[in-house]
mmCIF file of all heavy atoms in Angstrom:
data_model
loop_
_atom_site.group_PDB
_atom_site.id
_atom_site.type_symbol
_atom_site.label_atom_id
_atom_site.label_comp_id
_atom_site.label_asym_id
_atom_site.label_seq_id
_atom_site.Cartn_x
_atom_site.Cartn_y
_atom_site.Cartn_z
ATOM 1 N N ALA A 13 6.361 20.164 36.485
ATOM 2 C CA ALA A 13 6.702 21.588 36.570
ATOM 3 C C ALA A 13 6.284 22.173 37.913
ATOM 4 O O ALA A 13 7.019 22.973 38.516
ATOM 5 C CB ALA A 13 6.033 22.355 35.426
ATOM 6 N N ALA A 91 -7.526 8.399 61.678
ATOM 7 C CA ALA A 91 -6.092 8.654 61.591
ATOM 8 C C ALA A 91 -5.679 9.157 60.214
ATOM 9 O O ALA A 91 -4.593 9.742 60.063
ATOM 10 C CB ALA A 91 -5.326 7.382 61.921
ATOM 11 N N PRO A 112 -16.846 13.159 72.780
ATOM 12 C CA PRO A 112 -15.412 12.855 72.816
ATOM 13 C C PRO A 112 -15.063 11.568 73.544
ATOM 14 O O PRO A 112 -14.089 10.906 73.196
ATOM 15 C CB PRO A 112 -14.807 14.081 73.508
ATOM 16 C CG PRO A 112 -15.943 14.765 74.191
ATOM 17 C CD PRO A 112 -17.144 14.477 73.373
ATOM 18 N N ARG A 115 -15.046 8.319 71.070
ATOM 19 C CA ARG A 115 -14.407 8.352 69.756
ATOM 20 C C ARG A 115 -12.891 8.497 69.912
ATOM 21 O O ARG A 115 -12.394 8.929 70.961
ATOM 22 C CB ARG A 115 -14.936 9.537 68.944
ATOM 23 C CG ARG A 115 -14.509 10.896 69.513
ATOM 24 C CD ARG A 115 -14.869 12.056 68.605
ATOM 25 N NE ARG A 115 -14.180 13.273 68.982
ATOM 26 C CZ ARG A 115 -14.777 14.383 69.401
ATOM 27 N NH1 ARG A 115 -16.097 14.432 69.506
ATOM 28 N NH2 ARG A 115 -14.059 15.447 69.721
ATOM 29 N N SER A 146 -5.551 37.117 62.854
ATOM 30 C CA SER A 146 -4.313 37.541 63.509
ATOM 31 C C SER A 146 -3.612 36.364 64.172
ATOM 32 O O SER A 146 -4.213 35.325 64.464
ATOM 33 C CB SER A 146 -4.621 38.602 64.567
ATOM 34 O OG SER A 146 -5.347 38.031 65.646
ATOM 35 N N GLY A 177 -4.837 32.667 43.342
ATOM 36 C CA GLY A 177 -6.021 32.500 42.505
ATOM 37 C C GLY A 177 -6.399 33.721 41.702
ATOM 38 O O GLY A 177 -7.512 33.787 41.173
ATOM 39 N N ALA A 186 -3.611 46.046 30.930
ATOM 40 C CA ALA A 186 -2.246 46.252 31.405
ATOM 41 C C ALA A 186 -2.202 47.032 32.720
ATOM 42 O O ALA A 186 -1.436 46.701 33.631
ATOM 43 C CB ALA A 186 -1.426 46.977 30.337
ATOM 44 N N ASN A 224 0.235 24.344 55.770
ATOM 45 C CA ASN A 224 -0.136 24.287 54.367
ATOM 46 C C ASN A 224 -0.469 25.675 53.839
ATOM 47 O O ASN A 224 -1.061 26.495 54.543
ATOM 48 C CB ASN A 224 -1.349 23.353 54.195
ATOM 49 C CG ASN A 224 -1.836 23.271 52.774
ATOM 50 O OD1 ASN A 224 -2.518 24.165 52.275
ATOM 51 N ND2 ASN A 224 -1.485 22.196 52.108
ATOM 52 N N GLU A 242 4.282 22.595 53.321
ATOM 53 C CA GLU A 242 3.729 21.949 52.141
ATOM 54 C C GLU A 242 2.851 22.942 51.404
ATOM 55 O O GLU A 242 2.321 23.894 51.998
ATOM 56 C CB GLU A 242 2.912 20.708 52.515
ATOM 57 C CG GLU A 242 1.697 21.021 53.370
ATOM 58 C CD GLU A 242 0.795 19.808 53.591
ATOM 59 O OE1 GLU A 242 1.328 18.704 53.797
ATOM 60 O OE2 GLU A 242 -0.442 19.979 53.564
ATOM 61 N N ARG A 275 -25.665 22.832 13.496
ATOM 62 C CA ARG A 275 -26.364 23.820 12.661
ATOM 63 C C ARG A 275 -25.361 24.705 11.948
ATOM 64 O O ARG A 275 -24.248 24.946 12.448
ATOM 65 C CB ARG A 275 -27.257 24.710 13.531
ATOM 66 C CG ARG A 275 -28.568 24.098 13.935
ATOM 67 C CD ARG A 275 -29.340 25.079 14.800
ATOM 68 N NE ARG A 275 -30.696 24.626 15.017
ATOM 69 C CZ ARG A 275 -31.483 25.036 15.994
ATOM 70 N NH1 ARG A 275 -31.022 25.924 16.879
ATOM 71 N NH2 ARG A 275 -32.705 24.578 16.124
ATOM 72 N N ARG A 333 -18.596 21.763 9.254
ATOM 73 C CA ARG A 333 -19.774 21.139 8.713
ATOM 74 C C ARG A 333 -20.526 20.405 9.816
ATOM 75 O O ARG A 333 -19.962 20.088 10.864
ATOM 76 C CB ARG A 333 -19.381 20.141 7.610
ATOM 77 C CG ARG A 333 -18.705 20.798 6.410
ATOM 78 C CD ARG A 333 -19.695 21.690 5.648
ATOM 79 N NE ARG A 333 -19.067 22.370 4.511
ATOM 80 C CZ ARG A 333 -18.642 23.617 4.532
ATOM 81 N NH1 ARG A 333 -18.765 24.331 5.645
ATOM 82 N NH2 ARG A 333 -18.101 24.160 3.461
ATOM 83 N N TRP A 339 -13.466 21.655 19.936
ATOM 84 C CA TRP A 339 -12.913 21.390 21.267
ATOM 85 C C TRP A 339 -12.825 22.684 22.056
ATOM 86 O O TRP A 339 -12.415 23.726 21.532
ATOM 87 C CB TRP A 339 -11.539 20.745 21.142
ATOM 88 C CG TRP A 339 -11.613 19.343 20.618
ATOM 89 C CD1 TRP A 339 -11.573 18.943 19.303
ATOM 90 C CD2 TRP A 339 -11.793 18.158 21.390
ATOM 91 N NE1 TRP A 339 -11.709 17.592 19.210
ATOM 92 C CE2 TRP A 339 -11.837 17.070 20.472
ATOM 93 C CE3 TRP A 339 -11.912 17.905 22.750
ATOM 94 C CZ2 TRP A 339 -12.001 15.751 20.897
ATOM 95 C CZ3 TRP A 339 -12.059 16.592 23.166
ATOM 96 C CH2 TRP A 339 -12.109 15.538 22.251
#
Side-chain angles (χ1 to χ4, degrees):
R115 68 172 194 243
S146 68
N224 178 282
E242 63 173 40
R275 281 179 170 160
R333 297 292 178 261
W339 290 90

